[in-house]
């Protein structure tokens, strides 16, 4: 399968990349790792007329710790983040994306900009209540995770904007777990559940966040579960009880791998597992 | 319509300068322009891993990389692993352990295994299975592939790719391997 023809530029500064995007209009696309865009182009589901390759743009790679947060450059690859304990849930979840070859190419900025509800990092960003910094050639702005994902593969990022940086709180005193259920190795999640739990000195649940992959057209928070567990003792009974609420208010689309009802079942089971692991019970 | 783009890349230690269409995939550059047909196209959808090569020392699926994205990089394919007559420890181990039947998946399997061993020189069986998730084999049932990678891991240079190839450094590794004796 060969993509349709397109023009290609690989600018060596962020400004030049932004100008090229603005100039190219709606049919210009940024190219990061290409591991979401190129498969779509090969199937002619995407037919951009101009690709603006970001690989020569400096300063958009790596993770830096700053004032209780991690600042992660948009071009940082999954492989650069995978398995790094200091990055908490980001290190855990990136090692579960696809396979090593894909992780060697795919980037955090591309993953978030693509906005696929079956992808893992959008869910992690929503659970962590992180933000992305975006820029066009005139201005820059911050978008909170809760405002970023608008619909299936639709984000608040405009065609002439680029994500430059992802910022997530370090959440060092929180337990974390990402449970991803796949039908085959290397697959996207049928359902994924991210749980973050802050335990109080008395062993109770001081704060909790739960977010789902592939349970709606965007990543979503499981507010009923959070509400049920917050302030409760972190016992396995309390976790099981809270996890029972996981599917509440959800209306997941069925797909080739799972019916809506099966997804709701998975959400309950995976929420229990993720909460138990995050809480260490 | 779209204009060609010049690319300069090193493949198995040899530098190539070519003009390519932006939409040319790396796997087609390797196979059709350079005649390196060891990298196979199995699925063409980033799933099977038969097209796996190394770009700057890391495994990638070359059916999902544009040739223009490889401009300025060092690419290593299965053809670049052996040093003259000396097989790479992974090649040797696949041979010894019958890690292949039809052989279609083998080049990609070996390139992915080399990335795995570079990251994790002493993997458990579980880690090998997890690490080769991006590569499908329709013949072997994986058992002997896992054995081969495990045996190759016992060799001190199994994760090392002679890269960029037959340079003085590559030749030195080859000689070193030859002196130590190959195989698991
Ligand atoms: C076989 C396979 C399995 C996969 N499995 C998973 C999985 O299990 N979980 C998962 O989460 N992902 C999975 N992915 C997707 C993978 O993680 C992608 O690499 C990632 O989602 C996109 O990142 P990229 O850098 O490749 O983006 P690209 O493909 O380069 O770009 C994707 C989109 O984002 C835009 N874009 C890229 N960078 C920016 C930026 N900085 N600012 C604004 N827009 C930008 C592009 O224009 C394009 O529209 C899989 C991919 C494949 C091929
Ligand atoms: S041909 Fe590239 S992954 Fe199958
Ligand atoms: S040996 Fe035939 S596909 Fe693996």
């Amino acid at each position: 399968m060969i993509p349709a023809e397109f023009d290609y530029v690989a600018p060596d500064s962020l400004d030049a990349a932004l100008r090229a995007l603005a100039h190219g209009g709606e049919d210009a696309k940024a190219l990061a790792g290409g591991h979401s865009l190129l498969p779509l182009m090969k199937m002619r589901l995407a037919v951009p007329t101009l690709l603006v390759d970001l690989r020569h743009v400096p300063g958009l790679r790596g993770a830096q710790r700053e004032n209780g947060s991690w600042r992660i450059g948009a071009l940082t690859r999954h492989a650069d983040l995978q398995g790094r304990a200091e990055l908490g849930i980001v290190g855990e979840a990136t090692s579960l994306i696809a396979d090593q070859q894909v992780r060697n190419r795919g980037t955090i900025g591309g993953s978030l900009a693509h906005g696929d509800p079956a992808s893992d990092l959008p869910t992690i960003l929503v659970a962590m209540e992180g933000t992305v910094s975006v820029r066009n050639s005139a201005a820059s702005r911050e978008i909170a995770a809760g405002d970023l994902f608008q619909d299936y593969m639709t984000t608040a990022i405009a065609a002439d904007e680029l994500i430059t940086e992802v910022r997530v709180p370090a959440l060092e005193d929180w337990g974390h777990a990402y449970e991803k259920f796949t039908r085959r190795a290397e697959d996207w999640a049928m359902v994924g559940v991210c749980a973050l739990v802050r335990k109080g000195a008395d062993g109770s649940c001081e704060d909790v966040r739960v977010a789902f992959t592939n349970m709606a057209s965007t990543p979503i928070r499981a507010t009923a579960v959070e509400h049920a567990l917050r302030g409760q003792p972190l016992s396995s009974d309390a976790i099981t009880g809270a996890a029972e609420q996981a599917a509440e208010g959800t209306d997941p689309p069925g797909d080739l791998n799972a019916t809506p009802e099966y997804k709701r079942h998975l959400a309950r089971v995976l929420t229990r597992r993720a909460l138990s692991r995050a809480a260490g019970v | 319509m779209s204009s060609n783009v010049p690319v300069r890349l090193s493949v198995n230690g040899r530098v190539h300068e070519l003009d390519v269409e932006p939409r040319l995939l790396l796997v087609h550059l390797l196979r059709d322009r350079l005649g390196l047909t060891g990298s196979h196209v199995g699925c063409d959808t980033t799933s099977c891993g038969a097209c796996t090569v190394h770009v700057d020392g890391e495994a990638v699926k070359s059916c999902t990389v544009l040739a223009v994205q490889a401009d300025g990089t060092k690419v290593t394919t299965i053809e670049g692993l052996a040093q003259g007559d000396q097989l790479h420890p992974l090649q040797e181990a696949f041979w010894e352990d019958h890690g292949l039947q039809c052989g279609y998946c083998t080049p990609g399997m070996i390139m992915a295994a080399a990335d795995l061993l570079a990251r994790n020189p002493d993997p458990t069986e579980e880690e090998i299975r997890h690490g080769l998730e991006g590569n499908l084999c329709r013949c072997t049932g994986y058992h002997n592939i896992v054995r081969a990678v495990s045996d190759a891991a016992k060799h001190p240079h199994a994760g090392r790719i002679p890269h960029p190839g037959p340079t003085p450094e590559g030749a030195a590794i080859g000689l070193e391997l030859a002196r130590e004796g190959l195989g698991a």
Side-chain angles (χ1 to χ4, degrees):
Chain A
M1 294 179 298
I2 317 272
E5 289 189 345
F6 55 85
D7 284 314
Y8 171 88
V9 290
D12 53 15
S13 75
L14 182 58
D15 281 341
L18 289 168
R19 274 198 307 274
L21 270 183
H23 189 69
E26 287 287 326
D27 291 330
K29 281 253 167 219
L31 177 68
H35 269 48
S36 290
L37 186 53
L38 293 177
L40 289 179
M41 288 171 62
K42 288 172 71 177
M43 291 189 286
R44 312 265 171 134
L45 294 171
V47 192
T49 53
L50 172 68
L51 283 193
V52 180
D53 190 343
L54 303 179
R55 69 196 170 91
H56 291 316
V57 175
L60 298 183
R61 286 166 218 270
Q64 273 171 28
R65 188 59 194 269
E66 190 184 284
N67 299 333
S69 293
W70 283 101
R71 298 173 49 187
I72 306 173
L75 290 184
T76 310
R77 303 169 312 153
H78 309 324
D80 303 320
L81 303 170
Q82 69 181 59
R84 286 174 59 182
E86 73 274 22
L87 293 170
I89 189 69
V90 174
E92 178 184 343
T94 40
S95 52
L96 297 175
I97 295 174
D99 53 61
Q100 191 62 55
Q101 290 98 312
V102 172
R103 295 194 294 273
N104 285 344
R105 299 295 296 179
T107 66
I108 189 168
S111 187
L112 296 175
H114 196 57
D116 182 345
S119 284
D120 303 302
L121 291 177
T123 306
I124 303 303
L125 191 77
V126 163
M128 297 183 95
E129 299 182 353
T131 56
V132 294
S133 308
V134 303
R135 265 184 71 173
N136 64 14
S137 31
S140 60
R141 62 186 178 122
E142 303 277 310
I143 308 175
D147 301 324
L148 180 60
F149 306 105
Q150 300 187 326
D151 202 348
Y152 183 73
M153 295 206 194
T154 309
T155 68
I157 303 163
D160 67 344
E161 283 180 322
L162 284 175
I163 300 181
T164 53
E165 187 174 279
V166 181
R167 194 183 282 253
V168 291
L171 301 182
E172 256 163 0
D173 45 349
W174 294 60
H176 61 81
Y178 186 60
E179 288 286 334
K180 174 175 175 177
F181 198 81
T182 57
R183 186 153 168 178
R184 296 157 300 216
E186 78 165 343
D187 241 345
W188 276 267
M190 287 161 82
V191 172
V193 178
C194 173
L196 303 170
V197 175
R198 196 172 74 210
K199 226 181 200 172
D202 60 355
S204 69
C205 173
E206 229 169 59
D207 205 355
V208 55
R209 310 225 192 106
V210 178
F212 293 144
T213 302
N214 219 11
M215 283 294 285
S217 61
T218 63
I220 50 170
R221 288 279 284 272
T223 42
V225 177
E226 297 176 358
H227 189 71
L229 198 57
R230 204 171 281 121
Q232 300 296 311
L234 282 169
S235 64
S236 78
D237 280 354
I239 285 174
T240 304
E244 279 306 308
Q245 321 266 322
E248 192 158 296
T250 64
D251 183 19
D255 55 38
L256 280 177
N257 289 323
T259 61
E261 196 34 58
Y262 185 50
K263 283 190 179 179
R264 282 195 281 264
H265 168 73
L266 281 178
R268 286 188 287 265
V269 173
L270 298 177
T271 299
R272 176 167 49 72
R273 290 184 193 163
L275 282 172
S276 305
R277 194 149 62 78
V281 297
Chain B
M1 184 186 93
S2 70
S3 42
N4 279 4
V5 175
V7 301
R8 185 174 195 272
L9 75 174
S10 134
V11 180
N12 301 331
R14 281 187 59 184
V15 175
H16 298 270
E17 295 187 33
L18 310 96
D19 266 341
V20 303
E21 260 195 290
R23 62 176 172 166
L24 181 72
L25 299 169
L26 178 59
V27 70
H28 295 140
L29 178 142
L30 295 170
R31 290 178 57 86
D32 303 342
R33 300 278 295 264
L34 302 183
L36 296 169
T37 53
S39 308
H40 296 157
V41 179
C43 65
D44 213 359
T45 56
T46 336
S47 307
C48 74
C51 63
T52 301
V53 302
H54 286 208
V55 172
D56 287 336
E58 288 179 305
V60 305
K61 293 177 173 176
S62 61
C63 72
T64 313
V65 176
L66 298 171
V68 287
Q69 289 179 290
D71 176 43
T73 67
K74 290 179 179 152
V75 175
T76 310
T77 70
I78 189 72
E79 289 92 342
L81 280 197
Q83 296 294 307
D85 289 340
Q86 298 294 340
L87 294 182
H88 185 275
L90 272 163
Q91 293 172 304
E92 188 78 24
F94 268 66
W95 183 359
E96 292 278 329
D97 289 332
H98 304 285
L100 62 146
Q101 287 176 26
C102 79
Y104 200 85
C105 69
T106 314
M109 215 40 108
I110 287 180
M111 297 314 285
D115 182 307
L116 166 69
L117 293 182
R119 279 168 213 282
N120 181 357
D122 189 20
T124 62
E125 179 185 333
E126 181 64 31
E127 286 166 343
I128 293 172
R129 288 182 183 275
H130 187 57
L132 295 179
E133 232 161 37
N135 294 71
L136 304 179
C137 175
R138 297 292 78 165
C139 300
T140 63
Y142 301 99
H143 186 76
N144 285 352
I145 292 177
V146 174
R147 249 187 34 190
V149 177
S150 176
D151 282 343
K154 295 174 191 146
H155 194 284
H157 296 319
R160 196 187 295 177
I161 294 297
H163 159 54
T167 56
E169 187 208 358
I173 296 173
L175 285 173
E176 208 179 318
L177 294 182
R179 264 201 306 277
E180 285 165 8
L182 287 171

